[in-house]
Each structure stands twice: as structure tokens, then as C-alpha cells.
């Protein structure tokens, strides 16, 4: 069955709505330029900012201009409002779910007020909006969806595509009537400096797939699509766009680098084609992840060559226009693919000049239209989205749906627990050496150690070395490493920050590290929705097993609290969270279902 | 030079959290990367680049430049000696 896209909204460096974005793409006008809104000392770094101040966005949303609301939330709420307006649907009485992909969440506010919060109780409530889950809740409320259920997916730069995949799965299993899925990410000092510490930011306009590419430019933005299980939906303009297939796989190679042969990307693209019941030949255009880093573009090219062989369709990365909008990029690029399909238009690979042997040759210049590249009417597009930790996903967006099986009959298999382990005391962390060498342990934060022990012990109990899928849940994520990085940045300035801390700050750090350790190239997902995080992870695991996509799933709930964080809770008069809590469960299918 | 090598060993051990490596065993000529020697990786290179900037005011813009410099503690010491700003 295919899921229909009945509306969409977008806010990015190249336009504050879909028609502006399309115009910029057609005119070849990039949105990357000097920094205007982000308060960073790294003025030498070009960025793709949304050309709206926080105050302007607050006004657009009918809020007090002086309100302190994360830019992630503001952009997301505007994009959701656009998408709902475009879909022109009544959400009253319907089961509505908002699924957002983000990693930054309320970090832009936290980093601005962190020092003041330490002495000012009046600012404490700002911290309650820091985590990804609460930023999604606030965004849905601002978009007028107070009754909607919300969920946040956080798999670093592939978050938004994974949000769209989750939404499609929920609709197919009749868990919702309407899903608004996508992603939002504001530029923050935290991740700008983090990417800078990894030395993967280009000081010039980025050039994905180019021989002389030297890194990425960060961007920001939000995009959301309205999804409904009406494969035969046709818009008032007589158009139909569906999500026809998708794949989510893990490269299981390295925390911040992609494997040379692009294994995770290859598997994700292959899985998407298989679900879509399409051959590589049926794809007319690939919107590549194409960040502009030497590593990503070579690895992605290798994967594309493995899937498509000699007959590679038109490929472009649109990050030369928008910048790399990290967790939002999958949704921004999905909307760009929808615009391409609706207009039979292929956006160019802005910035590309010179062929690199290690890379595919992208569709970069309109002069090719009539010579080397032949554009036929677009039918199906592949959209790639990859993240740190090798969280690789791919979507196939098409004009024609797959035949539909009846709704709600997908869950055929019951689940049972095969193994379980809880680590809730730092003294238990000594058990790590049973599984991990000193050399490997040296970079691990407490939570990473706890998650590694609980995962490996649960798997051992289940008698499984490599699970079919790994799903993690975390309300606050990697607090210890994130706080160290944040404090160092705020106290010592935006120089000489630790890449080791940054690469262990994203919420998917745990799921990807465990995938690397267990050599699991299967489905890999991370949820961050406050106290509901574990429930979302378990639902996903039951869906995977119930639909026969996985036989064994490692589910983990991992959270930690630093002394600073505990002190904040004490001052708020709230229950103080534990220093460490990690629970891993191995789920399997019951034998006689 | 001897003092610089000693300082660098301690700084690298601390920055990379090499708990089990004793300073006595830390051979300044041993290869830092690859399976043969200390066994460091690309993220460690980035950490050493941060260390050189913090401690010696040396700024390396491109990690690729570092390949020759980061062969061993000895080669790092020679580079620091020639380029240090503090």
C-alpha cells in the first residue's frame, strides 16, 4: 500500500514557502551566505539561514514578540501550518499524530540562557522545553494541534526521513488517520561548533560531489508533509503524489564516517526499491544526501553505483542551495522532490564544477538538459538521507501508488521477551571490561557504558549476537558529553572544542554504537519523546515483528542525569532524575502465533 | 626537546584518556596510528589538533596536513618545536 501526501509546507534558506523554494531552485539561487541571525563568532563560516528573525516568526504565529521560544519550534510550527492549509483538511475528531525529526530541539534557547539559568529561578522553565520531545509538543500546540499525539525521532541528519517512514508505517497499520511528519532544526552554536570541531565545514560555498569539495555548509529550516492512507487521493489540481517505498538501515561502521562502499546507504536504497516494487530503471531522479564532505559524497557515490550500475539516473544534491539542514534535511528534500514531481523539474547540483573520479557525475548544469542528460517526465524519485552513526534511510516518492491491501491486518505476529537487563547504578559500570577493551572504553561516557552493558547482557541472555533491528529511547539523550561541550563553549569560547564530546552528543549515539558493536546493519531508530520514549520504541518493535520485518529487536531505554541537571530539578521542586538508568529488552516473535 | 616530548606524552595521554598506557611504556618513536603501535584513529587526530592549538598556539586547518606530523610523539615534538607560538 502507498501513503498519499495530501499537503506540504517548507521553510528554508531559499524561501519561506513552497513556491518561493521552487522559484529559487529554478533560478539557481542559493540561500547560503554570511551569517545574519546566529550569534556566533565564526563569521567566516557561510550558512543557509532562514531569512526570518525569531520576532518575525513569533508575529507570523500570532505570539508575543518577546516570548522566548526556540527557533526550531517556530520554524516547525510555521511549516506545519502551511502543510495543513495546503492539505485543506478538517482534523476534528480524527486521530492526528505529529512526528518530527530533530536533534537540536530547544538547544538554541538553552545555550543562550544557560549561564543565567544557573542563578535565576525565573528562567528555569526554559529548561523544560530543552528536550526534543517537549519542543515537538510546543510546536504542535503552536500549529493549532493541541489534541494531536506527538512523537520525536532523533537519528541525527536522517531524522526527518525516519519521521516520514514512521508516519507511513503508522498509517499502514491503522494507528492514525492523519500524520503530519517531517523535521525542523535551527542553527545552534552547539552544532555549528561541533561540526567545526570535526573539521568538516567548508569556509566557502559547499560543492557536493565536486573534485575540490571541502566540507559542508550548515543550514536550517523545517518541512512537513501531511500523510493519509488514501492511495487514490488526487489533489484539486489533478495531481497525486505518494510515498511508495522506503528503507532504513545502518552502516554500522563509524560514529561520524561512512564506509567506503556505502553499505548502509546501499542497503537502504535497495530496501526502498524492493518495497516500492520498482527496478533501478524506474527511478528518474535521485535527490542525494550529498553533504559536500569528501567522505559522504564518495561513499554515497559508491552506494549509488552499486544499486544502479551503469545506468545512473539524474542525481543532484540540493544542499548547495539550502545548506545541510541536518535533522530537517530529509523533510526539506522530500518537499523538494514533491515539487520536482509536480513540475517535472530536476533541481541542479549547485556549486559543482569538476568531476571527481570517486564520485558520480551530478546533474549540475542546465546546459546538459539537451545533451548528456535526457529528462523524461518524472514518475518516481529516490530521496537519500543519512546521519551520524550510519543511520541511513531512503524514500521513494512517486506519482503512482502500489496496489493496496486491506488496512489494519498487518500485525500478524505476537511478541515475547527473550532477554532483559537493567543498569541503574554507576557501580555496575565496572562490568564493561567483560565486553570492551580499555582502548575502546576510553571515550565512552557513563551512559554509553551503561547502554553497552545492558544491551550486550540482554542479547547474551537471548542467545543472540546480532539482532535484526535496534531501537533506542531516551528523554534527554547524551547529557554528560553535551553538557561538557556546552560549558566549555560558553566559558572558553568557540575555539578548541572537543570533537570526541560532540560526536557523542546526538541522541542516536547509543543505537549506532551498539549497531557497530553487534554488526547490525538492520533497521535502526531512536525516539526522544520524554516519558513516552520507551512506549514509542516498543510500539515500533512490535510493528517490525508483527509485520514480519524483523524476528528479533533490541529495544533500549537509556537516560542519565548530571549533577547540574539534578540541581535544576531540585530547584524546580521536581523529582530528581537518577544518575544513570539503562534498560535493554530483546523482543522476539512468539512461536505459535 | 626531551622536556617537550615528556609534556606531549602526558598531554596526549590525558586528552585521549589513555588510562592504561603508562608514561614509561609510551615510546616516542612508536607509531601512533594503525594496529602496530598505540592504535589511535581519525578522531584522535582531531583531538591532538585541538591540543596543539590550546597548548602551543599551532593552528592546523586541514587534518590531512597532519599525516606526516602525527606519525609518532617524536615527529609531533619536532613539528611543535619548529612552529610553536607559545
Amino acid at each position: 500500500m502507498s501513503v498519499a501526501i495530501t499537503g506540504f509546507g517548507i521553510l528554508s534558506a531559499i524561501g519561506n514557502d513552497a513556491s518561493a523554494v521552487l522559484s529559487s531552485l529554478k533560478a539557481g539561487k542559493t540561500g547560503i551566505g554570511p551569517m545574519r541571525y546566529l550569534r556566533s563568532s565564526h563569521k567566516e563560516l557561510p550558512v543557509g539561514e532562514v531569512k526570518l528573525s525569531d520576532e518575525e516568526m513569533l508575529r507570523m504565529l500570532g505570539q508575543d514578540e518577546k516570548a522566548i521560544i526556540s527557533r526550531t519550534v517556530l520554524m516547525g510550527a510555521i511549516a506545519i501550518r502551511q502543510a495543513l492549509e495546503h492539505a485543506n483538511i478538517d482534523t476534528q475528531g480524527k486521530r492526528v499524530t505529529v512526528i518530527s525529526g530533530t536533534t537540536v530541539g530547544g538547544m538554541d534557547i538553552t545555550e543562550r540562557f544557560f549561564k543565567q539559568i544557573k542563578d535565576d529561578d525565573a528562567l528555569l522553565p526554559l529548561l523544560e522545553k530543552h528536550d526534543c520531545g517537549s519542543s515537538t509538543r510546543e510546536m504542535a500546540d503552536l500549529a493549532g494541534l493541541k489534541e494531536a499525539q506527538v512523537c520525536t525521532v532523533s537519528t541525527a541528519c536522517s531524522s526527518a526521513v525516519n519521521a516520514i517512514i514512521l508516519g507511513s508505517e503508522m498509517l499502514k497499520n491503522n494507528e492514525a488517520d492523519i500524520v503530519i511528519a517531517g523535521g525542523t532544526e535551527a542553527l545552534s552554536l552547539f552544532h555549528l561548533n561541533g561540526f567545526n570541531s570535526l573539521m568538516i565545514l567548508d569556509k566557502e560555498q559547499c560543492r557536493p560531489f565536486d573534485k575540490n569539495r571541502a566540507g559542508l555548509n550548515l543550514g536550517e529550516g523545517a518541512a512537513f508533509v501531511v500523510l493519509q492512507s488514501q492511495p487514490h487521493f488526487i489533489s484539486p489540481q489533478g495531481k497525486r503524489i505518494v510515498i511508495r517505498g522506503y528503507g532504513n538501515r545502518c552502516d554500522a561502521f563509524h560514529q561520524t564516517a561512512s564506509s567506503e562502499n556505502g553499505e548502509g546507504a546501499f542497503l537502504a536504497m535497495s530496501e526502498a526499491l524492493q518495497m516500492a516494487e520498482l527496478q533501478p530503471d524506474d527511478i528518474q531522479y535521485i535527490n542525494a544526501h550529498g553533504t559536500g564532505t569528501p567522505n559522504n559524497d564518495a561513499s554515497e557515490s559508491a552506494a549509488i553505483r552499486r544499486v544502479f550500475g551503469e545506468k545512473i539516473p539524474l542525481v543532484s544534491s540540493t544542499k548547495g542551495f539550502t545548506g545541510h539542514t541536518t535533522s530537517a534535511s530529509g523533510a526539506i528534500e522530500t518537499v523538494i522532490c514533491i515539487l520536482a514531481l509536480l513540475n517535472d523539474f530536476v533541481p541542479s547540483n549547485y556549486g559543482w564544477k569538476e568531476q571527481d573520479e570517486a564520485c558520480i557525475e551530478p546533474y549540475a548544469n542546465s546546459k546538459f538538459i539537451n545533451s548528456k542528460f535526457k529528462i523524461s517526465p518524472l514518475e518516481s524519485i529516490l530521496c537519500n538521507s543519512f546521519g551520524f552513526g550510519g543511520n541511513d534511510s531512503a524514500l521513494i516518492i512517486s506519482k503512482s501508488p502500489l496496489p493496496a491491501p486491506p488496512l489494519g491486518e498487518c500485525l500478524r505476529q505476537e511478541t515475547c521477551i527473550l532477554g532483559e537487563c537493567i543498569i541503574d547504578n554507576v557501580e555496575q559500570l565496572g562490568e564493561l571490561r567483560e565486553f570492551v577493551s580499555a582502548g575502546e572504553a576510553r571515550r565512552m561516557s557513563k551512559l554509553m557504558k551503561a547502554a553497552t552493558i545492558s544491551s550486550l547482557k540482554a542479547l547474551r541472555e537471548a542467545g543472540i549476537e546480532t539482532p535484526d533491528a535496534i531501537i533506542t529511547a531516551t528523554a534527554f539523550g547524551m547529557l554528560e558529553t553535551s553538557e561538557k561541550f556546552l560549558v566549555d563553549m560558553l566559558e572558553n569560547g568557540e575555539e578548541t572544542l572537543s570533537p570526541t564530546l560532540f560526536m557523542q552528543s546526538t541522541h542516536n549515539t547509543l543505537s549506532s554504537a551498539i549497531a557497530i558493536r553487534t554488526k547490525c546493519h538492520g533497521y535502526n531508530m531512536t525516539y526522544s519523546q520524554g516519558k513516552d520514549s520507551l512506549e514509542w520504541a516498543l510500539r515500533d518493535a512490535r510493528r517490525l515483528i508483527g509485520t514480519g520485518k524483523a524476528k528479533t529487536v533490541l529495544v533500549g531505554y537509556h537516560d542519565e542525569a548530571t549533577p547540574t541537571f539534578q540541581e535544576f530539578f531540585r530547584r524546580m521542586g521536581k523529582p530528581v532524575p537518577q544518575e544513570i538508568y539503562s534498560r535493554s529488552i530483546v523482543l522476539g516473535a512468539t512461536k505459535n502465533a | 626537546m626531551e622536556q617537550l616530548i615528556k609534556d606531549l606524552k602526558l598531554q596526549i595521554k590525558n586528552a585521549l584518556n589513555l588510562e592504561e598506557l603508562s608514561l614509561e611504556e609510551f615510546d616516542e618513536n612508536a607509531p601512533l596510528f594503525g594496529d602496530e603501535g598505540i592504535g589511535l584513529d581519525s578522531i584522535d587526530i582531531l583531538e591532538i589538533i585541538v591540543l596543539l592549538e590550546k597548548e602551543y598556539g599551532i593552528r592546523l586547518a586541514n587534518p590531512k596536513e597532519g599525516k606526516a606530523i602525527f606519525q609518532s610523539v617524536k615527529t609531533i615534538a619536532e613539528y611543535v618545536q619548529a612552529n610553536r607560538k607559545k
Side-chain angles (χ1 to χ4, degrees):
Chain A
M1 195 198 89
S2 305
V3 167
I5 296 171
T6 60
F8 52 87
I10 185 168
L11 210 64
S12 84
I14 53 169
N16 298 334
D17 59 36
S19 70
V21 166
L22 182 63
S23 305
S24 297
L25 290 171
K26 283 191 161 171
K29 228 178 94 192
T30 180
I32 294 169
M35 210 177 276
R36 259 169 70 184
Y37 300 102
L38 186 70
R39 303 160 172 92
S40 167
S41 63
H42 287 295
K43 297 294 178 209
E44 78 282 7
L45 295 170
V47 284
E49 290 176 310
V50 165
K51 310 294 184 284
L52 289 168
S53 66
D54 292 4
E55 293 74 20
E56 284 169 309
M57 287 194 279
L58 284 162
R59 270 204 300 276
M60 287 165 80
L61 289 163
Q63 301 296 308
D64 182 348
E65 266 178 48
K66 292 196 179 70
I68 301 168
I69 299 178
S70 162
R71 203 168 160 82
T72 302
V73 170
L74 296 173
M75 294 189 305
I78 292 170
I80 291 174
R81 280 196 183 184
Q82 287 175 8
L84 286 171
E85 200 171 310
H86 182 221
N88 192 23
I89 40 167
D90 186 5
T91 55
Q92 276 294 326
K94 303 267 174 59
R95 293 171 300 164
V96 181
T97 303
V98 175
I99 308 171
S100 179
T102 192
T103 305
V104 167
M107 179 59 95
D108 59 323
I109 298 296
T110 304
E111 66 189 18
R112 204 189 308 165
F113 292 99
F114 191 77
K115 281 178 157 173
Q116 290 158 260
I117 291 171
K118 287 197 144 181
D119 314 303
D120 188 351
D121 281 356
L123 292 172
L124 276 172
L126 289 179
L127 277 180
E128 291 186 274
K129 295 177 179 180
H130 167 81
D131 69 288
C132 294
S134 48
S135 79
T136 303
R137 179 72 264 172
E138 188 180 20
M139 176 174 80
D141 292 351
L142 273 178
L145 296 169
K146 286 195 161 58
E147 307 295 318
Q149 164 177 244
V150 298
C151 177
T152 310
V153 166
S154 197
T155 59
C157 298
S158 58
S159 300
V161 157
N162 283 328
I164 294 170
I165 291 176
L166 170 65
S168 305
E169 284 291 302
M170 286 180 68
L171 287 166
K172 287 183 188 179
N173 290 300
N174 197 17
E175 296 169 51
D177 300 312
I178 298 165
V179 171
I180 297 116
T184 176
E185 197 114 289
L187 279 166
S188 72
L189 292 179
F190 187 94
H191 77 287
L192 181 95
N193 280 288
F195 276 85
N196 200 32
S197 77
L198 291 169
M199 299 181 97
I200 51 175
L201 294 181
D202 196 337
K203 291 187 177 63
E204 293 165 38
Q205 160 80 40
C206 69
R207 290 143 285 167
F209 297 109
D210 187 90
K211 193 176 178 183
N212 301 308
R213 66 191 182 282
L216 59 90
N217 301 141
L218 281 171
E220 63 178 356
F224 282 86
V225 291
V226 179
L227 302 174
Q228 291 176 270
S229 46
Q230 298 173 8
H232 301 292
F233 167 88
I234 291 180
S235 77
Q237 293 77 34
K239 307 273 188 176
R240 174 170 60 201
I241 306 286
V242 297
I243 305 282
R244 182 158 165 149
Y246 37 81
N248 162 320
R249 292 301 184 99
C250 190
D251 203 33
F253 172 71
H254 189 273
Q255 206 61 48
T256 57
S258 304
S259 60
E260 209 171 310
N261 69 349
E263 183 68 9
F266 167 79
L267 292 171
M269 286 188 273
S270 305
E271 189 188 7
L273 282 167
Q274 195 184 5
M275 181 191 280
E277 295 178 21
L278 293 175
Q279 297 301 316
D281 275 9
D282 298 322
I283 301 292
Q284 290 83 33
Y285 166 56
I286 303 172
N287 185 293
H289 187 58
T291 59
T293 64
N295 173 248
N296 175 81
D297 296 0
S299 171
E300 185 172 12
S301 293
I304 290 174
R305 283 172 175 157
R306 284 173 71 191
V307 176
F308 291 89
E310 294 293 304
K311 291 163 78 180
I312 295 174
L314 299 182
V315 185
S316 71
S317 160
T318 43
K319 289 187 173 68
F321 287 100
T322 60
H324 186 0
T325 56
T326 51
S327 297
S329 64
I332 284 182
E333 286 152 31
T334 292
V335 171
I336 288 175
C337 291
I338 297 167
L339 292 170
L341 280 171
L342 290 174
N343 296 281
D344 282 315
F345 159 76
V346 173
S348 72
N349 193 105
Y350 190 92
W352 185 89
K353 284 192 188 74
E354 200 178 333
Q355 176 64 32
D356 180 359
E357 268 179 36
C359 289
I360 51 94
E361 181 178 351
Y363 171 71
N365 196 321
S366 52
K367 77 179 179 205
F368 289 138
I369 288 178
N370 297 315
S371 55
K372 203 163 180 179
F373 295 102
K374 219 177 101 197
I375 297 188
S376 46
L378 297 174
E379 190 64 35
S380 296
I381 292 179
L382 176 71
C383 181
N384 280 343
S385 197
F386 312 146
F388 273 177
N391 272 143
D392 296 343
S393 289
L395 268 189
I396 292 176
I397 306 154
S398 178
K399 287 179 184 168
S400 53
L402 271 171
L407 275 178
E409 289 187 11
C410 300
L411 299 179
R412 291 178 297 267
Q413 188 79 49
E414 295 290 314
T415 54
C416 62
I417 293 176
L418 302 175
E420 185 169 0
C421 175
I422 294 175
I423 300 289
D424 57 0
N425 188 326
V426 282
E427 280 165 24
Q428 291 169 277
L429 299 184
E431 294 177 43
L432 185 72
R433 289 304 306 277
E434 201 182 313
F435 302 99
V436 169
S437 73
E440 288 173 305
R442 69 191 164 93
R443 278 190 198 136
M444 291 183 164
S445 67
K446 281 203 285 281
L447 190 59
M448 175 67 88
K449 287 176 180 164
T452 304
I453 299 168
S454 74
S455 300
L456 295 179
K457 283 181 86 172
L459 284 168
R460 188 167 65 188
E461 189 186 321
I464 293 165
E465 269 180 42
T466 306
D468 292 342
I470 296 174
I471 305 173
T472 62
T474 181
F476 297 101
M478 309 296 286
L479 279 182
E480 183 189 347
T481 40
S482 302
E483 187 184 309
K484 275 188 197 158
F485 188 89
L486 180 67
V487 169
D488 192 16
M489 179 178 85
L490 295 175
E491 286 179 359
N492 305 316
E494 297 178 65
E495 300 292 339
T496 63
L497 294 164
S498 161
T500 309
L501 292 178
F502 178 68
M503 73 173 201
Q504 287 195 66
S505 71
T506 57
H507 297 79
N508 66 337
T509 305
L510 302 169
S511 63
S512 52
I514 294 158
I516 293 168
R517 191 157 295 283
T518 59
K519 300 183 176 61
C520 175
H521 290 283
Y523 181 86
N524 195 294
M525 189 73 159
T526 297
Y527 291 94
S528 183
Q529 191 56 53
K531 60 179 173 32
D532 299 332
S533 304
L534 178 60
E535 183 48 34
W536 279 103
L538 287 169
R539 266 172 84 171
D540 196 359
R542 286 193 288 264
R543 209 181 290 121
L544 283 178
I545 292 171
T547 52
K549 289 196 181 94
K551 288 194 176 65
T552 56
V553 183
L554 172 66
V555 178
Y557 172 75
H558 317 285
D559 261 313
E560 66 182 335
T562 61
T564 319
F565 193 69
Q566 289 174 326
E567 178 60 25
F568 287 144
F569 275 79
R570 245 175 245 122
R571 279 167 57 197
M572 282 190 278
K574 300 205 165 182
V576 176
Q578 274 178 265
E579 185 175 5
I580 201 108
Y581 184 85
S582 169
R583 177 181 176 200
S584 291
I585 308 162
V586 181
L587 287 180
T590 51
K591 283 194 185 93
N592 51 357
Chain B
M1 190 66 166
E2 223 164 89
Q3 186 55 43
L4 180 58
I5 287 176
K6 220 172 144 192
D7 292 347
L8 274 168
K9 281 184 184 173
L10 185 64
Q11 285 156 353
I12 290 172
K13 179 179 151 83
N14 290 340
L16 306 183
N17 201 14
L18 298 164
E19 275 174 22
E20 301 213 341
L21 180 72
S22 76
L23 289 174
E24 292 72 41
E25 286 169 31
F26 200 166
D27 178 0
E28 63 261 33
N29 294 305
L32 287 172
F33 301 92
D35 300 333
E36 296 297 302
I38 315 288
L40 304 184
D41 66 13
S42 60
I43 297 296
D44 295 311
I45 293 198
L46 296 174
E47 286 292 352
I48 297 175
I49 290 175
V50 169
L51 187 162
L52 294 187
E53 183 168 350
K54 265 190 190 164
E55 302 290 339
Y56 305 100
I58 296 173
R59 214 169 234 232
L60 257 161
N62 183 352
K64 277 191 185 147
E65 291 171 37
K67 277 239 161 107
I69 305 162
F70 298 136
Q71 281 175 26
S72 65
V73 172
K74 182 84 180 290
T75 56
I76 297 177
E78 284 162 2
Y79 181 77
V80 169
Q81 183 111 320
N83 295 282
R84 65 189 299 169
K85 309 257 171 354
K86 58 181 182 187

